[in-house]
Amino acid sequence: MSVEGTDATPVGGSADELARFSFNQATAQHWALPDVVAGCVAAGVPGIGLWREPVAGYGLARSAKLVRDAGLAVTSLCRGGFFSADDWRAENLRAIEEAAALGAPELVLVSGGLPPGSRDVDGARARVADAIGELAPHAAAAGVRLAIEPLHPMFAADRCVIASLGQALDIAERFDPAVVGVVVDAYHVWWDDTVYAQIARAGARIAAFQVCDWVTPLPQGVLLGRALPGEGCIELRRLREAVDAAGYGGPIEVEVFSAEVWARPGAQVLDAAIAGYLRHVV
């Protein structure tokens, strides 16, 4: 498979097959933003998920114009949150402004772990809810939805005290679903025996659906233990069918953190992401 082609002949899948596909730029971390955008256009990919750091490196206004001129939809911006940081409020207000400037409808929130020296996980989760309550009016005014992403429990101490979809919904349900929703990320929720009930519960609160695969043994540090769709053990199609049944018809982002994947040329990664998506998700 190659990303060479024309707009009229998308490579890797038909326009209908790729209608919901979005390529999260973190999947090809070392691919420069202009090249990611060009690769997506050549492959007939309609959407892209962006990250704040590479957007800032290229320039917010330049990034927004680049994606807009290419005709790509920005499906999400990662990330806000980390509410245990001293500057969480100012940083998240900036993130909301950036999402609005990029035309990203969703700002993904990773809540952050325990404050330094703390063991109070209940208190940390309460602070997440309070922080989102403070940010919600600003997000609503900007036309950006705050999307709470639960992470696998192994990240609870240092990265995200919101460790299940149910915990994310317990917070999101306090707010208008147009303002605060949840992210269903296959990597973080596949293990949960309540996940399908929680997806049904989420309904219109599903703000984003992200897919990758789980492989073992996990690498040191565990953060980079993801694989492209179809290379691990997650029932990705079952999860996709569940979010569809819950009423979600939005983009499906392929988001992979993997040193092995990042070492490959970006165009090859995009090809493989499309192939895995077509075979194992849709």
Side-chain angles (χ1 to χ4, degrees), residues 17 20 237 240 252 276-282:
E17 289 173 321
R20 295 175 68 185
R237 184 172 290 109
R240 193 269 302 160
I252 302 172
Y277 170 82
L278 293 174
R279 292 171 187 161
H280 299 284
V281 181
V282 300

Side-chain angles (χ1 to χ4, degrees), residues 138-189:
H138 300 278
V144 172
R145 180 157 53 169
L146 303 175
I148 306 169
E149 181 172 14
L151 267 57
H152 190 282
M154 64 185 172
F155 297 110
D158 64 341
R159 192 168 293 270
C160 188
V161 293
I162 306 303
S164 70
L165 188 56
Q167 290 172 1
L169 285 168
D170 287 345
I171 295 174
E173 286 174 346
R174 306 177 192 185
F175 305 96
D176 184 333
V179 179
V180 180
V182 296
V183 179
V184 178
D185 184 325
Y187 185 77
H188 295 300
V189 304

Side-chain angles (χ1 to χ4, degrees), residues 53 81 109 127 135 137 194 199 209 219 239 248 260:
E53 293 82 1
L109 300 181
R127 282 190 291 275
L135 294 173
T194 72
I199 287 172
F209 178 44
L239 285 169
Y248 180 76
E260 184 277 328

